[in-house]
Amino acid sequence: QVQLQESGPGLVKPSQTLSLTCSVSGGAIHNDGQYLTWIRQRPGQGLEWIGHVYYDGYTDRHPSLKSRLTISIDRSQNQFSLRLSSVTAADTAVYYCAREKTTSSGLRGMDVWGQGTTVTVSS
Amino acid sequence: DVVMTQSPLSLSVTPGEPASISCRSSQSLLYRNGKNYLDWYVQKPGQSPQLLIYLGSNRASGVPDRFSGSGSDTDFTLKISRVEADDVGVYYCMQALETPRTFGQGTNVEIK
């Protein structure tokens, strides 16, 4: 079965770029029928959808982050990535990667999640 | 963006008793295929969120039948027929009709 694992630095300085990777195991990343998604949770807050990438590289990003956010897919490494530039303390959060499954009969929810990685923005 | 509003925000339930969480969306989640693009997730303490219900009323794999989702258009409900101690956590609804996906504020379920 598909498993996801986030990785990246736990501490990023303000104004720098946050880079995270989600490694996919147990399944090919290039399969259609899945949106590879990033979600974050600020301390003590709810869930915030950041964006997703489809197997063909098509991306959708949260409008509030669009100017700073890049989501990409690396089929050779079976992973997808997030890059968020010009970070501030407001970007401190637990970042999750997830798989949102889609079929011909509709979306099937985010059925696989990574364990989450904590990113702190501080000097 | 579609605004998702949950109620109540906190719920204390006696084991064995039922529980119900309401979720309302600022616009219809009914797609032209007749399906409602509304999911339910639970985040248990210290864990990642996990999928409970997709497309309004379909239980995800491995989810006990104590959990059920209902509703259509803009009004949805998650019901737990008999709450167990393991059901403690924060429950979120999420609209999957459009991007950005948006979540409700979360409902914190505790056990009495």
Side-chain angles (χ1 to χ4, degrees), chain B residues 38-106:
Chain B
L38 187 283
D39 301 334
W40 289 96
Y41 298 86
V42 60
Q43 187 173 30
K44 297 182 179 181
Q47 296 184 20
S48 303
Q50 57 192 78
L51 177 66
L52 289 173
I53 302 286
Y54 63 92
L55 293 177
S57 61
N58 296 274
R59 271 189 303 277
S61 177
V63 174
D65 60 8
R66 301 183 291 107
F67 292 88
S68 63
S70 63
S72 184
D73 197 20
T74 62
D75 288 322
F76 300 90
T77 302
L78 176 71
K79 291 182 180 173
I80 310 174
S81 60
R82 297 172 308 279
V83 171
E84 297 182 359
D86 187 52
D87 297 336
V88 65
V90 181
Y91 290 73
Y92 296 94
C93 60
M94 185 201 82
Q95 65 82 17
L97 184 68
E98 59 181 52
T99 59
R101 304 281 191 257
T102 46
F103 293 87
Q105 315 97 302

Side-chain angles (χ1 to χ4, degrees), chain A residues 32-35 54 99-109:
Chain A
D32 63 358
Q34 53 185 11
Y35 290 103
Y54 200 48
R99 188 268 298 268
E100 186 176 26
K101 198 170 178 181
T102 180
T103 68
S104 57
S105 57
L107 290 167
R108 296 300 180 106

Side-chain angles (χ1 to χ4, degrees), chain A residues 40 42 48-51 60-69 84-86 90-91, chain B residues 1 99-102:
Chain A
R40 70 181 180 182
R42 294 186 175 110
E48 179 184 20
W49 183 88
I50 295 173
D60 242 327
R61 296 165 291 167
H62 198 292
S64 69
L65 299 171
K66 211 167 191 173
S67 62
R68 301 193 290 131
L69 178 65
L84 186 64
S85 65
S86 306
D91 296 309
Chain B
D1 300 0
T99 59
R101 304 281 191 257
T102 46

